[in-house]
Amino acid sequence: MDQNILIIEDDLLSQKLHAKIVEKAGYKVTLANDGLEGLLKADEQEFDLIISDVMMPNLDGYQTCKRLRENPKTAQIPILLLTALDNLESKIKGFEAGADDYLSKPYEPDELMARVSVLLRRAATPATPLQVREQLGRVISVFSLRGGVGISTVASNLAVGLSQLWGQETALVDLALTSGQAALMLNLPLRNTWADLARIEVDEIDQEVVGQTLRPHPSGVQVLSAPRRVEESELVDAEKVQRVLEILQQSYDYVVIDLPHIFSDLALVALDISDEILVVLAPELASVRSSALALEVFDTLGYDDKKVHLILNWIFERQGLPKPDIEAGLGREIRMVIPHASDLFVRAINFGTPPTLENPDSPLGAIFENMAFAVSKAEQKSQRPENPTEAWKRLAKRMRKQRR
Ligand SMILES: Nc1ncnc2c1ncn2[C@@H]1O[C@H](COP(=O)(O)OP(=O)(O)OP(=O)(O)O)[C@@H](O)[C@H]1O
Ligand SMILES: [Mg+2]
């Protein structure tokens, strides 16, 4: 095993400790005493993985990580951050800086080596080139004109649900570019993002480039993440979004899009190309009003009523507007209701494990499985698959029960 690992650590005792553990596992080790030295060495030599301390003078671990990601030579190297703090804030900071994983000190040597080997294995898996299919995939957008109603929650769980249900190629596209959370919700590193596609010309965007930009999630979903930094999102224009979505539509069975809360050019491109739009609303006046507005715009755009569906999400615990009142107000039926479920959702956000995956037998997992089925291709819904997945069997059982 000739794999070379760079360890960036200012504390000499810790440095020795990490080095000993890593060398004992059979890897070659190079040491750097601080972030700057780490950047230099990473630029001069070839590394398979970088382990970096977070708290260091001058350039801390987050800044080092950001700089490594900005340099094309080191942008793809897996990075594991080590920190004394075990809290969500530092996890998010590390994640935004582009780290792949995160371990709090003190750690067990076995734990460190387990993470290292997972990261190395993941890096060694080549991006699967996208293949053009005969039939276009089904594109489903999740939208609301109001923030915080659960768009990202629905989009990520729906994508996982679809992938589990059919075992087919499913992509999750985060188009909430300035506040994207899809990757965070699924605990994926922000290595490749829309920013990579924004930097190249639109006619250079092809199956290969798009395939390399998506990141695989253990559920089978491939995720196209929002950029790490807000400035980078400005480089993404409607023409590029159109091109990327067309490629995804040709190469995936299902494409789920997490949309921003405005009718921007980008959002319109996505809404146009979508076969189905799920408008999520909370049981409160402001959310109902903004949904009415959205429905009006869809009408003006000439979208078929069958393309747009309402999902009521009980994001809060207190009493809200009754469903029949909302339906009467909007002159539309609500297709699905998501009950309030704070524990599970908070867990999902903190651990990047959507209930659909973590807890498929829970009522909430079932709701997203049902939702996935509801938005699936008609021809798929009408017959038993040749090799039904576990999710499909669960769903069929629930349906049989309901019919009785
Ligand atoms: N049914 C629910 N029960 C309890 N909490 C929920 C529910 N749905 C969503 N949430 C929580 O509400 C918050 C907002 O959800 P989410 O981030 O999915 O919304 P969003 O519309 O994408 O927001 P943003 O405007 O930030 O993009 C999250 O903390 C999420 O965990
Ligand atoms: Mg969101």
Side-chain angles (χ1 to χ4, degrees):
M1 200 184 329
D2 283 304
Q3 279 171 311
N4 201 359
I5 296 181
L6 174 64
I7 296 177
I8 311 175
E9 166 73 74
D10 61 315
D11 179 70
L12 291 183
L13 187 64
S14 307
Q15 205 185 64
K16 279 213 179 91
L17 206 79
H18 311 320
K20 219 173 131 193
I21 296 169
V22 175
E23 273 169 347
K24 202 171 150 216
Y27 299 98
K28 243 179 87 187
V29 167
T30 302
L31 295 169
N33 296 323
D34 58 41
L36 278 180
E37 194 185 333
L39 290 178
L40 280 177
K41 289 200 166 154
D43 194 54
E44 280 164 7
Q45 305 171 37
E46 302 287 328
F47 292 102
D48 299 287
L49 183 124
I50 297 172
I51 299 174
S52 174
D53 185 29
V54 168
M55 280 191 278
M56 296 182 289
N58 305 320
L59 210 59
D60 69 17
Y62 303 127
Q63 289 165 313
T64 307
C65 198
K66 268 188 201 146
R67 300 265 286 268
L68 287 165
R69 289 293 173 247
E70 279 160 16
N71 176 352
K73 197 187 156 207
T74 55
Q76 304 297 333
I77 304 175
I79 302 174
L80 173 65
L81 286 183
L82 297 177
T83 171
L85 302 171
D86 186 14
N87 59 35
L88 188 59
E89 191 195 337
S90 28
K91 181 179 165 175
I92 291 176
K93 266 179 92 174
F95 175 80
E96 282 172 349
D100 291 77
D101 202 359
Y102 189 87
L103 188 62
S104 49
K105 294 194 285 191
Y107 56 79
E108 293 292 325
D110 285 351
E111 176 72 20
L112 176 70
M113 291 328 295
R115 306 278 182 115
V116 163
S117 89
V118 166
L119 289 178
L120 286 171
R121 223 178 314 129
R122 207 202 275 165
T125 330
T128 34
L130 299 185
Q131 271 162 18
V132 179
R133 283 132 195 272
E134 267 171 45
Q135 204 197 14
L136 286 183
R138 189 165 171 81
V139 182
I140 302 139
S141 277
V142 189
F143 184 72
S144 154
L145 282 175
R146 248 180 107 73
V149 296
I151 299 301
S152 303
T153 305
V154 170
S156 52
N157 280 287
L158 182 62
V160 172
L162 281 164
S163 161
Q164 300 284 305
L165 187 58
W166 304 115
Q168 287 186 321
E169 300 290 331
T170 306
L172 171 63
V173 180
D174 197 348
L175 261 183
L177 295 178
T178 51
S179 61
Q181 288 160 342
L184 181 62
M185 283 191 175
L186 295 175
N187 208 11
L188 280 174
L190 275 182
R191 181 97 60 81
N192 297 93
T193 71
W194 270 106
D196 301 296
L197 298 171
R199 282 190 208 102
I200 54 179
E201 294 299 321
V202 70
D203 37 300
E204 286 169 27
I205 298 180
D206 57 16
Q207 316 281 136
E208 196 183 337
V209 181
V210 175
Q212 282 163 357
T213 313
L214 292 159
R215 307 292 308 177
H217 180 257
S219 64
V221 174
Q222 302 270 338
V223 183
L224 179 47
S225 308
R228 275 190 287 278
R229 291 194 313 267
V230 177
E231 319 88 83
E232 291 177 321
S233 63
E234 284 160 16
L235 301 166
V236 183
D237 63 21
E239 204 189 352
K240 281 182 188 161
V241 170
Q242 172 101 31
R243 175 95 190 112
V244 171
L245 292 181
E246 277 167 9
I247 289 174
L248 292 175
Q249 190 183 29
Q250 287 163 8
S251 336
Y252 282 83
D253 299 292
Y254 289 99
V255 180
V256 179
I257 310 177
D258 178 344
L259 280 176
H261 307 297
I262 54 168
F263 280 112
S264 60
D265 291 358
L266 310 187
L268 283 170
V269 165
L271 290 164
D272 269 342
I273 209 175
S274 294
D275 297 290
E276 185 153 347
I277 300 168
L278 303 179
V279 175
V280 181
L281 70 155
E284 56 181 354
L285 205 55
S287 182
V288 175
R289 269 200 61 197
S290 72
S291 307
L293 253 165
L295 292 176
E296 243 177 77
V297 175
F298 293 149
D299 231 22
T300 317
L301 290 170
Y303 291 172
D304 192 334
D305 272 1
K306 280 193 243 107
K307 174 167 167 169
V308 183
H309 294 282
L310 294 174
I311 295 188
L312 179 61
N313 187 11
W314 282 84
I315 49 170
F316 47 75
E317 223 169 345
R318 66 192 145 84
Q319 260 201 326
L321 296 172
K323 177 170 166 246
D325 293 7
I326 302 175
E327 289 178 321
L330 292 174
R332 285 249 196 172
E333 238 179 73
I334 285 168
R335 185 139 178 240
M336 274 163 283
V337 180
I338 305 172
H340 180 73
S342 75
D343 289 1
L344 267 177
F345 271 111
V346 171
R347 218 190 118 69
I349 304 280
N350 291 353
F351 295 93
T353 47
T356 327
L357 196 63
E358 167 108 318
N359 229 331
D361 293 317
S362 70
L364 206 59
I367 280 171
F368 286 112
E369 266 174 18
N370 293 353
M371 189 187 294
F373 186 79
V375 302
S376 292
K377 299 174 184 172
E379 68 272 19
Q380 247 178 337
K381 285 200 268 191
S382 59
Q383 57 193 15
R384 187 189 163 87
E386 239 170 73
N387 299 306
T389 60
E390 288 308 309
W392 192 91
K393 288 182 203 157
R394 274 196 299 269
L395 186 115
K397 203 166 145 194
R398 276 199 303 275
M399 284 182 162
R400 274 200 304 273
K401 240 191 198 159
Q402 246 175 25
R403 261 185 249 125
R404 262 188 244 135

